[in-house]
């Protein structure tokens, strides 16, 4: 073997011999994945909410028409996501994300030019498909390719960044609308997505640890052990989507994730009218997002730590209980203190759901077909 080939294989030898590489690149990919998730903000429900009054006024739409367009756009946007996951499995996260980021920024600019209900529906469809759909899928899966035993912890750290975005973005959007008008505000958000993500993808992003001679967590692979699918020392499974769908856990998790997404999306999109109907203001709704974001950040970090230490099905059960509580509190927002209680319960629930969703699919079904499996989850 030539000396150059020997040099190229030296990182692999350090892994095989049980020694740690000098620096694990996964810690660089953590802020990269976080940036990818934050870049979905202009297409997230909390990102649309500040624009809703301006959209209704500019196009003379009723709230029902606006909500209906958003609902239909979201439903149709879910259909291609399994194929986006398959593209990630085949072409790698870097190429897939580059294409999605380009289309995402372009669609934000297109959103600034909508003139009526039909063009608004098309913009909703593309933004939902490209933002929380495709970009969220690829960015969300990235850490699962780099971490295994520490996946819950790093997912919690990544989710804290998204929680900050949820707390800050509505206020930023309100400011941009006030300063530049809603059309320029959306165009500027699209340009911002490009300005942040293209340099990261060009110079920093790497697909998998194996591509640079490392292994997940930067540690030697754990020895195989039998039995428990949640064991952090078990040999990594490599199930296909069809094999995953044959398990009971897949459908239980799908039902819970789908229910959570439906309720939280519906409430968040309509949060301003929900508040005003009970005598509160849009400013109160914006402040609620700030509290919600702060609680969510803590819950996601705690949930990530717990995901590496407790059974994921128990964590998910607590998350669903918190979701039920937050939905019940919506009826009593006018009662003093209930807005804070709602923000706290919703933040805790979403934090624990996020921690579960970030870890359970890779832990249960492996990394080989993770894009396709997680794409089917995003479709739900």
């Amino acid at each position: 073997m030539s000396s150059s080939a020997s040099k190229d294989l030296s990182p692999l030898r350090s892994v095989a011999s049980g020694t740690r590489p000098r620096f694990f690149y996964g810690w660089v990919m953590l802020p990269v994945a976080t940036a990818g998730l934050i870049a979905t903000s202009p297409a997230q429900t909390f990102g649309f909410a500040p624009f809703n009054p301006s959209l209704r006024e500019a196009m003379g739409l009723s709230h029902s028409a606006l909500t209906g367009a958003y609902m239909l756009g979201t439903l149709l946007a879910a259909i291609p996501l399994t194929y986006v996951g398959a593209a990630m499995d085949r072409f790698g996260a870097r190429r897939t994300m580059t294409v999605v980021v380009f289309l995402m920024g372009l669609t934000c600019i297109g959103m600034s030019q909508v003139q009526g209900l039909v063009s608004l529906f098309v913009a909703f469809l593309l933004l939902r498909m490209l933002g929380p759909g495709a970009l969220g899928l690829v960015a969300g899966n990235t850490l699962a390719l780099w971490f295994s035993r520490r996946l819950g912890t790093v997912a919690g750290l990544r989710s804290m960044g998204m929680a900050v975005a949820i707390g800050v973005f509505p206020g930023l959007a309100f400011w941009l609308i006030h300063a530049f008008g809603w059309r320029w505000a959306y165009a500027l958000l699209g340009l911002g997505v490009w300005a942040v993500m293209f340099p990261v993808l060009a110079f920093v992003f790497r697909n998998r640890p194996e591509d640079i001679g490392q292994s997940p967590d930067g540690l030697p692979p754990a020895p195989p052990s039998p039995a428990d699918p949640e064991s952090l020392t078990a040999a990594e499974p490599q199930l296909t989507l069809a094999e995953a769908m044959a398990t009971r856990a897949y459908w239980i998790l799908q039902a819970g994730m789908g229910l959570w997404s439906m309720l939280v999306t519906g409430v968040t999109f309509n949060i301003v009218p929900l508040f005003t109907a009970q005598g509160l203001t849009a400013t109160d709704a914006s402040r609620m997002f700030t509290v919600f974001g702060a609680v969510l950040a803590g819950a996601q970090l705690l949930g990530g730590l717990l995901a590496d230490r407790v059974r994921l099905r128990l964590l998910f059960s607590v998350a669903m209980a918190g979701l039920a509580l937050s939905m019940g509190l919506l009826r009593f927002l006018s009662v003093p203190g209930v807005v804070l209680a709602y923000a706290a319960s919703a933040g805790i629930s979403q934090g624990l759901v996020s921690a579960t969703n970030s870890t359970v699919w890779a832990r249960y079904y492996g990394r080989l077909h993770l894009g396709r499996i997680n794409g089917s989850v995003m479709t739900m």
Side-chain angles (χ1 to χ4, degrees):
M1 180 181 294
S2 67
S3 60
S4 61
S6 176
K7 182 179 180 181
D8 290 341
L9 288 177
S10 59
L12 291 174
R13 287 174 178 158
S14 68
V15 171
S17 64
T19 61
R20 294 192 184 193
R22 185 172 300 176
F23 174 75
F24 179 49
Y25 200 78
W27 297 114
V28 175
M29 292 303 298
L30 172 57
V32 168
T34 303
L37 282 183
I38 292 174
T40 69
S41 296
Q44 295 279 4
T45 305
F46 65 82
F48 284 123
F51 289 90
N52 287 348
S54 300
L55 292 171
R56 288 179 57 194
E57 181 180 354
M59 278 159 271
L61 300 175
S62 67
H63 189 74
S64 295
L66 182 68
T67 305
Y70 186 74
M71 178 190 71
L72 184 59
T74 299
L75 289 173
L76 295 178
I79 295 174
L81 294 182
T82 301
Y83 302 101
V84 173
M88 177 183 170
D89 291 336
R90 180 177 180 183
F91 300 108
R94 186 181 190 181
R95 290 183 181 179
T96 307
M97 189 181 290
T98 300
V99 173
V100 171
V101 164
F102 172 74
L103 295 175
M104 170 79 176
L106 197 64
T107 305
C108 285
I109 296 172
M111 178 70 169
S112 70
Q113 302 300 312
V114 296
Q115 300 295 331
L117 184 59
V118 174
S119 58
L120 180 62
F121 159 71
V122 173
F124 278 157
L125 168 63
L126 293 175
L127 283 171
R128 295 295 283 168
M129 179 175 67
L130 295 167
L135 184 54
L137 170 64
V138 180
N141 280 350
T142 295
L143 289 185
L145 301 176
W146 284 87
F147 292 91
S148 177
R149 285 172 255 181
R150 297 167 175 165
L151 180 56
T153 301
V154 296
L157 293 171
R158 178 201 61 197
S159 297
M160 285 184 66
M162 192 62 187
V164 172
I166 293 173
V168 171
F169 188 87
L172 172 63
F174 278 123
W175 179 82
L176 288 172
I177 293 168
H178 178 75
F180 303 103
W182 72 269
R183 293 185 184 276
W184 268 108
Y186 244 112
L188 290 171
L189 290 172
L191 294 174
V193 169
W194 283 349
V196 172
M197 292 306 301
F198 279 149
V200 169
L201 289 165
F203 301 111
V204 183
F205 199 100
R206 298 293 182 270
N207 282 320
R208 292 172 176 265
E210 291 84 354
D211 293 345
I212 57 173
Q214 296 184 347
S215 62
D217 296 302
L219 301 171
S225 68
D228 190 354
E230 295 188 24
S231 171
L232 300 183
T233 60
E236 182 178 314
Q238 302 291 358
L239 274 68
T240 65
L241 174 58
E243 291 169 337
M245 293 177 69
T247 66
R248 182 177 61 178
Y250 175 89
W251 294 105
I252 293 173
L253 290 164
Q254 276 279 37
M257 297 292 181
L259 180 64
W260 173 80
S261 297
M262 177 178 66
L263 292 174
V264 171
T265 298
V267 168
T268 304
F269 187 81
N270 294 288
I271 198 68
V272 174
L274 281 170
F275 270 58
T276 55
Q278 298 190 54
L280 302 171
T281 66
T283 302
D284 294 321
S286 179
R287 290 171 180 164
M288 183 279 297
F289 274 119
T290 302
V291 177
F292 170 77
V295 174
L296 177 60
Q300 287 178 321
L301 178 59
L302 177 61
L305 294 170
L306 291 175
D308 289 338
R309 291 163 174 81
V310 304
R311 294 188 182 278
L312 294 174
R313 59 179 179 266
L314 298 179
L315 203 63
F316 195 53
S317 298
V318 175
M320 291 295 101
L323 175 64
L325 175 61
S326 65
M327 293 299 105
L329 290 173
L330 283 171
R331 180 63 182 82
F332 307 100
L333 291 175
S334 59
V335 177
V338 171
V339 170
L340 293 177
Y342 166 75
S345 60
I348 291 171
S349 172
Q350 183 164 333
L352 297 183
V353 168
S354 177
T356 306
N357 189 47
S358 297
T359 54
V360 70
W361 307 107
R363 292 255 176 90
Y364 277 30
Y365 304 117
R367 298 183 299 147
L368 186 61
H369 303 285
L370 182 62
R372 188 180 289 270
I373 291 171
N374 229 332
S376 72
V377 177
M378 295 292 288
T379 297
M380 176 67 78

